[in-house]
Amino acid sequence: MAATVVVIGGGYGGVAVAKALDDVADVVLIEPRDAFVHNIAALRKLVVPDWPGRLFFPYDRLLSRGRIVRDRAVRVDGSGVELGSGDRITADYVVLATGSRYPFPSKPDLDESAAAEARLRATHGALARAGGVLLLGAGPAGLELAGEIKAVWADKKVTVVDPAEDILSGGFAEGFRAELRGQLGALDVELVLGTALREEPDSEPGETGTFTVITHSGRKITADIWFRCFGVVPVSEYLTGELAPARRRDGHVEVDGRLRLPGRPNVFAVGDLTALPEAKLAKAAGEHAAVVAHNIGTLIRGSGELITYTPAAPAISLPLGPGGGASYSPDRGVLGPEATSRLKGRDLRVGPYTTLFGLD
């Protein structure tokens, strides 16, 4: 009988592992949402609700042999998964791929795709009515949202606040940051760096209502809507028993070079929840998935060599709307708006997922 591989989480890493092992194992993909969310496209859909690219991809054509269980993992140990329904699925191999939570709208947070799209449309309406927008966080999400807003509403006042002294974090080249700062300046996006708000606005994020806030440096900022663009929280609280020690205080999960939990040869982890020293990007999750799928396939067949994963040097493609933004990798250096538009900004990489989910 074929080995059973339970993949917990249907995000970027989870669907890639499940698809790759579908022909060699009995794959069970556990996911509470009714559709895969292509989070890369979420901010574009916020500002352009009728953008023709997809944000949600149904799971029903992903696997030809395996099955999708629409439920939530509440307890996971080395031999299986207990679901919210009370059912338990035993497994020969377990892959943790539950990713991370991040504030809306960068990651839609509802399990029903229709409800998630309705919320995006409602927030679009609130954003359209606002004259001034405050974004808290000058990381990739905050900068990308600023660019998307300016691409649709050039006259809106957009202010980005971050306690860091410069935009972004991580080992990116100064030329990359300089390229983005220059484009943001040309878009009239105001960067208020090196300080934070004394108190957040009284209104909820994404709701319209004029407010004035004050930074610790004494700067007053008046806007009509705000969004929180920071705060990654790994989803790993379900780990129990012998797997619990692998979970760090910050929620990330320790893995070895073969992406296995320490001392657990049949339990792997991919994507945002791993404690690897690298940017948490969809590209990295896909690379994790390739290593894990190879290693599980090797173990199932009982032949071949296991491979290890080495975090890549910092690389990123950060659109500022469909025609703007910058990209950076150590081998190619800094690329400007035209190259970034071709690489990501124009179509937000929808095509490969259309193929993966059998919709082309």
Side-chain angles (χ1 to χ4, degrees):
M1 295 182 64
T4 298
V5 178
V6 174
V7 181
I8 306 169
Y12 291 104
V15 296
V17 171
K19 185 76 169 181
L21 292 174
D22 192 30
D23 291 336
V24 299
D26 289 334
V27 174
V28 182
L29 177 62
I30 298 169
E31 170 56 53
R33 295 173 297 189
D34 68 347
F36 171 83
V37 184
H38 184 42
N39 290 307
I40 292 170
L43 300 179
R44 181 71 50 82
K45 288 289 282 188
L46 171 68
V47 301
V48 187
D50 295 322
W51 177 63
R54 277 184 172 269
L55 177 58
F56 302 104
F57 294 77
Y59 289 109
D60 55 353
R61 297 184 188 178
L62 175 67
L63 304 177
S64 58
R65 296 179 62 254
R67 61 191 176 104
I68 313 294
V69 175
R70 192 174 174 206
D71 207 332
R72 194 177 304 276
V74 294
R75 276 179 287 278
V76 179
D77 54 40
S79 61
V81 183
E82 184 178 329
L83 303 176
S85 63
D87 292 340
R88 179 175 173 83
I89 300 176
T90 58
D92 297 296
Y93 300 93
V94 175
V95 181
L96 311 176
T98 43
S100 61
R101 302 181 185 93
Y102 196 87
F104 176 85
S106 294
K107 284 192 174 182
D109 54 1
L110 299 174
D111 291 344
E112 304 290 339
S113 55
E117 183 153 3
R119 186 182 182 198
L120 278 169
R121 286 184 176 272
T123 306
H124 167 83
L127 180 58
R129 294 189 296 271
V133 183
L134 172 63
L135 305 179
L136 300 185
L143 301 186
E144 189 168 335
L145 180 51
E148 293 289 349
I149 292 170
K150 281 292 189 175
V152 175
W153 300 287
D155 58 338
K156 285 192 190 298
K157 176 63 176 174
V158 177
T159 304
V160 181
V161 176
D162 197 298
E165 296 295 333
D166 201 356
I167 60 174
L168 303 177
S169 60
F172 300 114
E174 170 55 27
F176 173 64
R177 290 188 171 89
E179 174 67 27
L180 287 170
R181 286 196 303 268
Q183 292 186 44
L184 291 164
L187 292 172
D188 196 27
V189 173
E190 183 179 15
L191 299 174
V192 180
L193 304 175
T195 189
L197 301 187
R198 295 180 182 176
E199 293 183 355
E200 289 187 349
D202 291 335
S203 59
E204 290 296 314
E207 294 182 357
T208 48
T210 303
F211 58 83
T212 298
V213 290
I214 304 174
T215 69
H216 286 290
S217 62
R219 170 70 186 278
K220 289 186 178 181
I221 301 171
T222 298
D224 306 300
I225 195 170
W226 71 285
F227 295 97
R228 186 179 290 110
C229 302
F230 66 91
V232 175
V233 179
V235 179
S236 59
E237 58 271 14
Y238 52 78
L239 292 179
T240 59
E242 69 272 25
L243 302 186
R247 184 174 185 260
R248 303 196 322 188
R249 288 186 177 182
D250 62 4
H252 287 102
V253 176
E254 298 283 356
V255 292
D256 63 18
R258 290 166 177 166
L259 299 179
R260 299 183 293 195
L261 274 62
R264 303 297 163 188
N266 69 320
V267 182
F268 297 77
V270 300
D272 285 6
L273 83 165
T274 61
L276 296 168
E278 61 183 357
K280 304 305 181 185
L281 303 173
K283 181 174 183 287
E287 292 170 351
H288 297 174
V291 171
V292 167
H294 172 91
N295 286 342
I296 292 178
T298 297
L299 292 169
I300 289 173
R301 289 187 295 269
S303 63
E305 297 292 329
L306 300 182
I307 60 176
T308 60
Y309 174 77
T310 302
I316 190 172
S317 186
L318 202 163
L320 297 177
S327 301
Y328 170 77
S329 66
D331 57 335
R332 303 178 71 178
V334 179
L335 302 177
E338 291 184 6
T340 300
S341 179
R342 290 194 304 270
L343 287 169
K344 184 178 180 182
R346 193 177 304 153
D347 65 357
L348 298 175
R349 298 176 178 160
V350 167
Y353 295 96
T354 302
T355 300
L356 180 70
F357 287 94
L359 300 175
D360 53 357

